[in-house]
Amino acid sequence: MRTAQRIEILKTMDTRHTEHQDRSDSALQQRVDERTAELSQALAVVEAQKRELEHALRMRDEIQLQLEAELEDARLLHGISAMLVDEHNVGELFQKLVDAATLIMRSDFGSIQRYDEARGELQLIATRGLSDEAVSYWQWVHPGRATTCGHALLKSQRVVVPDFESWNDISGSDDLIAFRAAGVRAAQSTPLLTRSGRLVGMITTHWTRSHEPQERDLRLIDIVARQAADLIERNSAAEALQHHARKLVEADRYKDEFLATLAHELRNPLAPIRNGLAVLKIGKPEQAQRVLPMMERQLHHMVHLIDDLLDVSRISRGMVNLKRARVQLSAVIDSAVETSRPLISAANHRFTITLPGTAVWLNADMTRVAQIISNLLNNAAKYTPPGGDIELVAEVIGGEVVVRVIDSGIGIPAAMLPRIFELFTQVDGSAERSKGGLGVGLALAKRLAEMHDGSVDVESPGDKAGAVFTLRLPIMASTTNVADDDGSDGAPAKARALRILIVDDNEDAAETLSLLLQELGHVTSVVTEAPKAMAAALAFQPEIAVLDLGMPHLNGFDLARQLRAEPALRNTYLIALSGWGMEEDRARSRDAGMDHHLTKPVTLRDVEDALLKSIVAMGGGISKRS
Ligand code: ADP
């Protein structure tokens, strides 16, 4: 082979080798690249896993920290609950609540307030760290006051103020000055709401620097607030129960005292009446002149006591209906003074009356308003040592008439003033010192005044300094002088002689009524057994029959029906005589055919009035008594 040829072959071989070499190099490179890619992918995965792992580790640490914090909080709350539940002293309980709040909120000061429903304000009841000045300055906080609690009370939700200096609602207020003086810069107030949503108080925490409480702090204070609300609610329920129990014991004591006083006061008039009777029986006739007025007085006193008692009982049961009419104030006062003057004069008191210059008209039950005023006058006379001063001053103020009964007497201790109008309350209730009363008069006066849309109040500077009782009543719009509707001048009229049948199983009652009527010039017939009444009536032909209601064998209602059914007695005027005078009793006697209802014990005036009505009903004439 020629050299050139060989060279050519060698070149070709070399080229082929190079080509082969090249091919194998690029395959290698490719493999390297592939491997590199694989490796970097693996590395990325590892990196990602590492990051995940690191994240998980961080999360674990955070969760652990959080768990530790929550465990710590739970321990704290548990400790607080245990501390609160163990505490039964209310004052200490509130103090511990404040301590717990300041601990949880990491605050410098704290306070707890009780919500006073009657005043609608918050009252400070326990504090921590606040100065005495601050405590007295914020003793009461009304809704909307420039404090966090005032605003929280208004909104009934939490109020947080991180810096008082930049809180618009407080700028320029005295509260801001007080906060500065107390060293308070930030505060939060959380309302204490019961499960039913009732506000019972407020927990406030304060910081000396600007401060924004964290979410965790607020979560915890909410838990404490809920507990505090429950405890306050439970405590006030327990307090109310205790208060009730005390009231019951007190009421029981009052009842015993009252019964003793009642027995004493009812016995008192009985002794002179009994003595008077003995004098009438065995004494000289002229002595009757002296003992009768005395017996009458004592009887009147006794009837008055019993009437008062019955009145309060009826009023309490809503059984008293006012007989309102247009009445002149001066007439009411005259009537009251007429009743009370004997007592005032007997004690030698100086007594003055000042009335408004113009006529004043009331839409009132004359008897009842006179009863209020005479109760006040009687008390002034009783509780003022002899020779004292009593004044009655009536004036019109706005749409009201204000009647003041002013005395220079023994006065009323301040502690008794709020209770004086309660039933059976006497400043000195001992039977020996009760001045012939039962502690009923003022309760009665107050209730009667309220029934007239008025009021009675008392003021007294205290021991031996006298007392002022003030009655207020609305006046009628027109106060011009108009004559009374019935045109009567109030003087009792005298009836003509009448034939009167009295039916009562109580012989004494029947006999005395008969004597009284005979004294008035009438002709009477007495029947004490109801079944015999019909025959007696037919024989006697009475113009009037007075029938007791509660009688054995035949009661007054049935007897009335029988008499009414008898044509010969059709025009007889029937008067019921009963111990029961409520509206339902009157209605029953009306249903039975009675024309009039008298409540025992009847007075001469009652009888005269009833007879007059009967004459009017029968179309007879009336003559005024001079
Ligand atoms: P009573 O006079 O029958 O005891 P009241 O209800 O009228 O009952 O009065 C209650 C109590 O109030 C009296 O027992 C008395 O202690 C006191 N009181 C009433 N009026 C006066 C007064 N003008 N001055 C001082 N105390 C009074």
Side-chain angles (χ1 to χ4, degrees):
M1 196 188 294
R2 283 182 308 171
T3 313
Q5 217 176 359
R6 234 185 260 142
I7 290 168
E8 204 47 45
I9 289 167
L10 276 173
K11 267 187 185 166
T12 310
M13 276 175 67
D14 193 37
T15 308
R16 279 189 190 149
H17 176 76
T18 309
E19 276 174 9
H20 177 77
Q21 187 68 40
D22 280 355
R23 266 205 309 276
S24 67
D25 275 0
S26 79
L28 189 67
Q29 186 59 48
Q30 195 181 344
R31 277 222 308 283
V32 167
D33 287 350
E34 279 170 9
R35 195 86 188 106
T36 309
E38 274 171 22
L39 276 174
S40 51
Q41 246 176 21
L43 200 63
V45 169
V46 169
E47 275 292 329
Q49 282 176 344
K50 184 182 160 219
R51 275 199 306 276
E52 261 176 41
L53 195 65
E54 280 172 355
H55 179 69
L57 283 173
R58 263 202 318 278
M59 288 282 286
R60 189 203 64 185
D61 288 348
E62 269 175 32
I63 288 172
Q64 190 163 349
L65 276 178
Q66 199 178 330
L67 278 174
E68 274 171 15
E70 279 178 11
L71 193 65
E72 190 51 38
D73 290 348
R75 273 201 207 105
L76 193 63
L77 286 174
H78 181 261
I80 290 168
S81 329
M83 174 177 86
L84 295 179
V85 169
D86 277 352
E87 185 56 68
H88 296 295
N89 175 310
V90 188
E92 285 294 313
L93 185 73
F94 289 131
Q95 191 54 54
K96 287 190 171 173
L97 281 169
V98 183
D99 292 348
T102 43
L103 186 71
I104 278 176
M105 301 298 279
R106 296 179 273 251
S107 68
D108 301 296
F109 313 121
S111 71
I112 182 162
Q113 292 152 302
R114 184 187 67 91
Y115 181 62
D116 185 311
E117 273 184 27
R119 282 177 69 143
E121 294 187 12
L122 293 168
Q123 183 189 19
L124 203 50
I125 46 175
T127 61
R128 185 190 162 95
L130 287 173
S131 65
D132 291 348
E133 292 77 30
V135 170
S136 73
Y137 186 70
W138 285 297
Q139 193 51 230
W140 287 96
V141 170
H142 60 79
R145 182 155 165 190
T147 57
T148 48
C149 57
H151 277 243
L153 174 61
L154 190 68
K155 297 180 185 164
S156 211
Q157 66 185 43
R158 177 169 29 242
V159 170
V160 179
V161 176
D163 192 343
F164 281 126
E165 295 299 334
S166 52
W167 190 34
N168 286 342
D169 290 332
I170 200 175
S171 68
S173 72
D174 289 345
D175 285 291
L176 180 59
I177 298 169
F179 276 127
R180 283 181 190 145
V184 174
R185 185 78 188 252
Q188 72 74 33
S189 290
T190 301
L192 305 181
L193 299 170
T194 62
R195 274 159 219 277
S196 58
R198 197 165 59 87
L199 180 88
V200 289
M202 191 77 68
I203 275 196
T204 303
T205 46
H206 319 76
W207 292 267
T208 51
R209 293 168 190 209
S210 61
H211 178 85
E212 177 105 46
Q214 293 167 10
E215 205 184 299
R216 166 256 173 210
D217 301 343
L218 298 178
R219 212 176 53 239
L220 290 190
I221 196 82
D222 278 343
I223 297 173
V224 172
R226 169 51 53 83
Q227 267 186 328
D230 284 352
L231 284 166
I232 290 180
E233 195 176 41
R234 202 183 314 154
N235 241 294
S236 46
E239 261 179 25
L241 261 178
Q242 278 174 7
H243 178 73
H244 236 77
R246 274 199 304 275
K247 280 264 175 206
L248 276 177
V249 172
E250 221 173 70
D252 195 47
R253 191 168 53 79
Y254 278 146
K255 186 203 71 195
D256 290 345
E257 277 177 18
F258 168 70
L259 287 177
T261 315
L262 179 65
H264 184 260
E265 292 309 326
L266 291 182
R267 266 188 97 91
N268 260 350
L270 281 181
I273 291 175
R274 190 186 268 166
N275 295 343
L277 279 174
V279 172
L280 286 183
K281 233 193 251 165
I282 56 168
K284 299 189 188 81
E286 58 270 24
Q287 283 174 321
Q289 298 278 330
R290 285 186 49 221
V291 294
L292 278 174
M294 175 275 291
M295 288 171 72
E296 214 166 32
R297 243 190 350 265
Q298 296 298 334
L299 189 72
H300 178 79
H301 179 60
M302 206 161 156
V303 169
H304 183 77
L305 283 179
I306 294 168
D307 276 353
D308 270 5
L309 272 177
L310 286 176
D311 271 352
V312 258
S313 128
R314 286 183 200 137
I315 289 179
S316 309
R317 287 177 292 144
M319 297 291 193
V320 166
N321 292 326
L322 295 183
K323 294 187 197 87
R324 284 188 183 227
R326 185 182 158 79
V327 288
Q328 206 170 339
L329 174 72
S330 57
V332 183
I333 291 180
D334 281 352
S335 159
V337 170
E338 189 185 309
T339 310
S340 302
R341 201 180 284 280
L343 207 59
I344 298 173
S345 307
N348 277 328
H349 296 310
R350 283 172 295 276
F351 180 43
T352 58
I353 304 176
T354 312
L355 295 180
T358 52
V360 176
W361 292 90
L362 308 171
N363 175 25
D365 185 327
M366 159 112 171
T367 317
R368 295 308 197 168
V369 177
Q371 190 179 358
I372 301 174
I373 299 173
S374 74
N375 269 349
L376 300 181
L377 286 172
N378 287 350
N379 279 350
K382 282 195 298 186
Y383 300 107
T384 300
D389 289 298
I390 297 174
E391 263 180 87
L392 186 153
V393 181
E395 51 189 333
V396 175
I397 300 177
E400 287 182 327
V401 62
V402 179
V403 181
R404 288 198 179 81
V405 175
I406 307 159
D407 66 52
S408 61
I410 60 172
I412 300 161
M416 285 304 287
L417 287 176
R419 292 196 27 216
I420 204 89
F421 294 101
E422 284 172 22
L423 198 52
F424 308 137
T425 299
Q426 296 184 306
V427 173
D428 185 350
S430 60
E432 302 73 42
R433 283 201 253 167
S434 133
K435 302 246 177 191
L438 296 169
V440 171
L442 286 180
L444 198 56
K446 180 169 188 274
R447 290 182 200 185
L448 286 172
E450 284 166 356
M451 285 175 74
H452 279 92
D453 308 311
S455 63
V456 188
D457 298 301
V458 61
E459 286 162 83
S460 173
D463 199 24
K464 300 196 183 69
V468 181
F469 282 85
T470 307
L471 164 70
R472 286 168 210 276
L473 292 172
I475 55 174
M476 285 183 87
S478 152
T479 58
T480 49
N481 204 346
V482 177
D484 265 328
D485 293 345
D486 64 359
S488 100
D489 60 3
K494 191 173 171 66
R496 65 177 168 81
L498 297 162
R499 299 170 63 76
I500 304 173
L501 174 74
I502 299 161
V503 188
D504 193 336
D505 62 315
N506 181 330
E507 275 179 44
D508 293 345
E511 235 12 272
T512 46
L513 181 60
S514 166
L515 282 174
L516 191 67
L517 291 169
Q518 286 172 12
E519 278 307 308
L520 293 173
H522 304 296
V523 183
T524 60
S525 168
V526 171
V527 176
T528 54
E529 290 166 60
K532 294 185 180 162
M534 175 59 88
L538 286 170
F540 184 59
Q541 286 294 316
E543 288 160 284
I544 295 175
V546 180
L547 311 180
D548 180 34
L549 291 182
M551 293 184 291
H553 311 304
L554 179 61
N555 68 40
F557 300 114
D558 292 338
L559 176 58
R561 285 193 191 93
Q562 290 179 10
L563 296 177
R564 272 278 166 267
E566 176 54 56
L569 301 169
R570 181 160 296 147
N571 295 327
T572 306
Y573 189 84
L574 300 184
I575 299 179
L577 187 62
S578 166
W580 305 105
M582 289 174 223
E583 191 39 49
E584 64 200 47
D585 304 311
R586 291 171 187 277
R588 265 188 85 192
S589 56
R590 261 198 310 275
D591 286 349
M594 306 276 196
D595 297 298
H596 193 84
H597 187 109
L598 279 178
T599 309
K600 290 179 188 173
V602 285
T603 62
L604 180 59
R605 180 80 169 259
D606 292 338
V607 174
E608 281 183 314
D609 284 352
L611 298 187
L612 272 174
K613 284 208 174 89
S614 73
I615 294 170
V616 173
M618 293 184 287
I622 303 172
S623 66
K624 293 277 179 193
R625 195 159 60 174
S626 57

